[in-house]
Structure formats: C-alpha cells, structure tokens
Amino acid sequence: MVFDKEMIEKIYAELPEKIEKIKSTLQRPLTLTEKTLYAHLSADEVLKSHERAVDYVNFSPDRVAMQDATAQMALLQLMNSGRKTVAVPSTVHCDHLIQAHISAKVDLGTANQTNSEVYDFLSAVSNKFGIGFWKPGAGIIHQVVLENYAFPGGMMVGTDSHTPNAGGLGMIAIGVGGADAVDVMAGLPWELKMPKIIGVKLTGKLSGWASPKDVILKLAGILTVKSGTNAIIEYFGEGTESLSATGKGTICNMGAEVGATTSIFPFDKKSAEYLNATGRASVADFALKNIAHLQADAEVVANPEKYYDRLIEINLSELEPHVNGPFTPDAAYTLSEFAKAVKEKGYPQKMEVGLIGSCTNSSYEDLTRAASIVKKAKEDGLKVQAQFIINPGSEQVRYTAERDGVLAEFESVGAVVMANACGPCIGQWKRDIDVADRPNSIITSFNRNFAKRADGNPNTHIFIGSPEIVSALTIAGDLTFNPLKDTLTNEKGEQVKLAEPKGYELPIKGFDVKDAGYIAPVEDGSGIEVNINPESKRLQKLAPFAPWDGKELINQPLLIKAKGKCTTDHISMAGPWLRFRGHIDNISDNMLIGAVNAFNDKTNAVLDPETGEYSAVPALARKYKAQGIGSVVVAEENYGEGSSREHAAMEPRHLNVKAILVKSFARIHETNLKKQGMLALTFADKNDYDKVREDDKISILGLTEFAPGKNLIVMLTHSDGTSEQFEAIHTYNNAQIEWFKAGSALNGLK
C-alpha cells in the first residue's frame, strides 16, 4: 500500500524545477542534504545561500510521526492550537508503553488493559484531527515509518530522537519536541538552524561478521556524543551502494547518539529494491526518474573536501565489529580491543542477557543474520549461556519471520520473542532477575546505554553491538568472547567456532502480514469529543504557561548544579514514568531526580537553604513555586543529550524553573526549552560554572533589552554577602524571543 500517493507524486513532479532554481541561485554544486533542505524551504523563506550553523531557516516538512509516549503531550498542545485538522499527513504509533516481561501475547494484553485510557485518548484525538493511528503491537515507529512512509527526497519531523532512521531511504527526517510537531501539523513554517554537513565517505564492502551497525559504532567513537550537534551526516561513496536500505536505516538511526540533526543516504538500487518489496513500486519509479536529484552532485563526490564542513572516510572492507559502552554510546571498541578493556576496567565478564531489537536493529535482515548464527551453533552442540530476548520491529517483520521459521530458530534455544515494541530499549523491561545490588553485564542491539536505561538499575553495564555480535556473546555468556578467533566447548567437549552470519536483506517469498495494525482516521472528525477525566492520573489538560512579567530575573535560588552527564533520562526518566507522559503535574515528580548534585555527588538530594536540609529536587522546586519563587538549574556539557522528550523542558517550566545555564546544550533540548518559554543560556566562559555555590541567589540581567546576539549578565549573590558576575550566551532569534515573552511558542501561536 502506498500512503499519501498524490502528495508524493506532486513532490517528485515539482522536484526538477526546484533543483534547477536552487542551483541557478546558489551557483554551485549541491550536496544531497542541500538539495533536500532547499527544496523544502517554506513559501515565505527567501531562496539564498543560508549560512550553516548561523542562519535560522523556515521549512515546510511533508509529514509528522509521533510515538505514543511523546504524542500525548504533542496532541494535548495540538488541541490548544485552534486547528480543526492537521495540515500535513501525520501518524501516531503505539510502541513505547508496552512493557516487556513474559511474552508478546501476554505483554500486549497487559498493555492494552493498563494503558486503555491513554490509547483511547490517542485514538480519539487522531480521529478528530485526521491522524493515522497504528495500534499497540503494530511495531516500532521508525521501522513502521521506513516500511510505509519514508521516501527519497522527502522531509519529515517526528517526536522521537531516532526519527533520522528514515534517512536510510534518503529522507531528511528530524527528531523534534511536541511543540515543533504541532507547528508542522498546524501548517506553520518550521524553524531550524541551517545545519553544517559532515560528509562520511564509505568505500569497500562489508564482509564476515561486520555489519552496518559497526559503521555507526565506529563513527560514534570518532565524533563523540556531541560533535554532530547542529550538523547533518551525509553518507556518500561507492560503499553506500552495497548496504541494504534497512542497514542504512540502522546507521542513520544511531546518528542521534552523536548529536546529529539527522543523517541521510543517497537513493540507489538497494533503496528501490526495498520500496518494491514493501509495496511501493510506484514510489521507486518516481524516485528512479529523479535519481540525479536524490544524490549529491558528481562534483561534490569528486571533491568532497570543498563542500562538506568535515570529512570522514570509512573503509567497509577493513571495518571490524565493534562493541560500545557501558553508560555512553561513544565508548567505542573494536572487538579485538574489547576483551582487554573489559578486564582492565573491571567490567563484569559474565554476559547475562542478550537483547535483539529496538528501532535500530529489528529488520528482517537483522533477524535472519542473527538466527543463522543461532541455528549453526545449535547444530554444533552448543548451548546458549545467557538469557535471550527478541523484539521484532513491526508486525510485518514478525509475521514474515514467523512464516519463514526465523523466530522458531530463536525459540528453539530458549529465546523469548517479545512484542513488536521498544521494550527494554527505553526502560520498559520488567526484569525478573534481581541484580539491583551487584554489577552485571548485558549486551543489546539498541542505540543507547545510559545508566538505568534498560532495567532501571545503575549497576547494569549495558553494551551495544550488532545483532550478530549480540547473538555470539549470548551463546558464549562471556563478554570477552571474540567469535572471529575464539572457540567454544560443545556438549561433546569439542572446540567449536561460530559460523559467520548469513541472512537475507529481503524475504525470498516477499513480506506478508495479516493485520499490519493501521487504523485510518474517520473522514470527518469534527463531531468527535475528546474527554479527559479531571481525576485522571494519566492525562491532564494543559493550561497555558504565564507570559514573561517584563522584569529582570532577580535573586532566584539555585535548584541544582548538575555534575557530569545530564541526559533527558537524568532530567525526566522513562521506564515506569512513561505512564505519566500525558499528565504534566504527575510526571514533574521525576524532574532531575537522576542528575548528580555537584556539591554532594548524590542524586535527588539538593540543599534547601531555608532549613539547611537536603530535599528531593521536585519537592524543593514545588516549595519555591508555592512561595511564588522561581529557581535556576546549572549544568555541564551537552545538557539534554538523548531523547527528544519535551517533558524534560516542560517539567522545569511547570515547576517554575526560570533558566537553565549550562556549558553546552544538545540541539533538540535547547529548542524544546525555547518552545516552552524557558531561558536556555550557556556560559560565555565555561570556567564560570565553578563560581556557582550551593546557596547562591542568581540574577539574570539584560532581559529588558533581550535581543539576538546580545549576551545576558548573570550575577551570583553569595551567602557571605559577596557577589560576582559574568556573561551568558544565548542563541535566541527575534521569533524565539517572542516565544519567551509570550510564555511559550504555543501561546504566541494562539
């Protein structure tokens, strides 16, 4: 089935003329990123050469995708926007609220029961506003989007940081907060700072144990978690042509881990094959006719150093499998280095659980390659030594894999097939084995491995690898096992070497599915009433945030000075807290409870200057709010790394935090703060972070003359009567300053 066929036809029909006009205006060869971005300039945006990492530019994306956890807040904001229907095709995907525990059937039944209020709300709002609805069990948002909606040369936004997965099919797909999604659904121009472009040239061809996942694991080690901030990663070179579409999706998906705005691959034969296999032959035909516009210009490929802001080359023929972690996705090791690192760093060597799935690696190709290893190991008399969990990416993938006997191979060695959902990847894992008091190691094919990410346990060391490496280490039960050179002892006492993985990019018999899980909206939703029980613990109507009072910010207490990594998981945890994603007051009870206090190295323990005692972070913020007082949060580098969840911005706003002052921000989180009317500021001199004391009162001066490019002044008043001040940088443009004055972007919209 081809969704939005008329829209896609129109885009391709207009593309040649648009590209010709862009080239004529810019007078230079174009990267693929530039072609796609400039072709999606908003109607009110001037066509000119916009300066990368400087100019804010308005775009008109083609569609919006939302997962159920973030969709709640996005749709609550949409209900306040004044719109009757969405302006662009939009979808909701129920994949985050399903907890992995026993098995797919049991867990899905539990999810439908426990989340019925939320699912009914999402379904009703979808019908009212003309939004497509993918019911629980249909699959993980990014796999479903790749199978049904992604198309070369398109542009979409999604309320999930791994939206860039669609770049595997040549789409500019960007993760955003719910307020940004509302802008697009409301038909407004969507603003983005023109990104830099990192060119990654791929040469050679993968073989043996190496997989597409190893490309991005290696790149994460090169770029770190923040070097891709405000940049799009564009892959090019002959090496791209040998990678499957889903393999490219894997690489683009995990580009979020280096902070990239998105990632993109050129359209090629593999892209066309995937489109054909997923019932979109007409889209493949349109794309083939426009192939010159869906790849970087030949001059760019020949002289990439002239057109990309940074150039990296990876030879696929020499690429070794990688394992990254623990606790950060950019701690990259080649497999030959990893065993030594495990021993030197004292990581638990026993590998206790292997998990295959997530939006990053749950395609048919991933499952078949992993299953081939399992099948041969079983035939060779090897027993699987660790717990094994599988999450298929979509009902189409699951049904096809079951039909072809792939899932049976996993189950034959004791693996449990969970629901087609995110599950453990986002903390939705009810782990029966209690490991709370001891360090333990697991390996996943997921994308993130922050502390507490999978099972809520800070002692769990999460490592990331390809499905192939996950399978090998799960069979071995040993984190130091290297399948490229090591052997295992089978039941007969023989030494056995695991066979190299072999799989299928696409099913030989084609994809099949009985019920993909899609529910189209009713033609006219104007009569649909969306009711929210005022006593609900799960859902709460949004009240507008108060506008700025026109005054300087004077003597606000420090709420917390966070130390080290402070991701959105630290600011607004997932796991069991997902049930409150539609209730701003209830979920605010998790605000910053994972952040480490720089003054005592503890979490959720901050000084209440009035009593001299330590308090939970949300409790102190609520106390200040009840007294009519705001507060300030101070933190270090890449604050807000990780998920696109705007709750990490809305919770501080709800609890009257006035400003977030950091050494640097992750892109999505900085935007989310601006959208909610918060002050997002960075130290002009990072050393000024050290000047902030635990019982300081903080003033932010210059707001009455708030203007683009003009620094603000931060004054610290210490308890000993002394004070000092320094400058703080901001990146607000005129429109964003108006959001601040109005109290939020949504207030400004209304």
Side-chain angles (χ1 to χ4, degrees), residues 559-601:
L559 181 63
I560 184 173
K561 180 179 176 179
K563 174 183 177 181
K565 188 182 280 284
C566 196
T567 71
T568 48
D569 279 19
H570 295 84
I571 305 166
S572 175
M573 289 183 179
W577 290 95
L578 284 171
R579 67 187 185 275
F580 297 132
R581 284 284 180 87
H583 197 295
I584 187 62
D585 193 55
N586 282 347
I587 199 169
S588 292
D589 282 334
N590 79 359
M591 185 191 75
L592 286 159
I593 63 175
V596 177
N597 184 347
F599 298 108
N600 60 12
D601 288 330

Side-chain angles (χ1 to χ4, degrees), residues 393-407:
S394 69
E395 176 58 14
Q396 179 168 262
V397 166
R398 188 212 65 79
Y399 186 93
T400 305
E402 182 180 59
R403 178 201 69 188
D404 295 346
V406 179
L407 298 185

Side-chain angles (χ1 to χ4, degrees), residues 613-633:
E613 297 177 350
Y614 282 89
S615 167
V617 183
L620 184 58
R622 288 186 186 277
K623 176 180 176 179
Y624 288 146
K625 181 179 179 180
Q627 295 173 346
I629 302 170
S631 59
V632 175
V633 171

Side-chain angles (χ1 to χ4, degrees), residues 281-302:
S282 61
V283 178
D285 290 341
F286 291 138
L288 285 166
K289 292 173 183 175
N290 286 275
I291 190 167
H293 309 314
L294 304 173
Q295 300 177 342
D297 284 339
E299 298 94 322
V300 173
V301 175

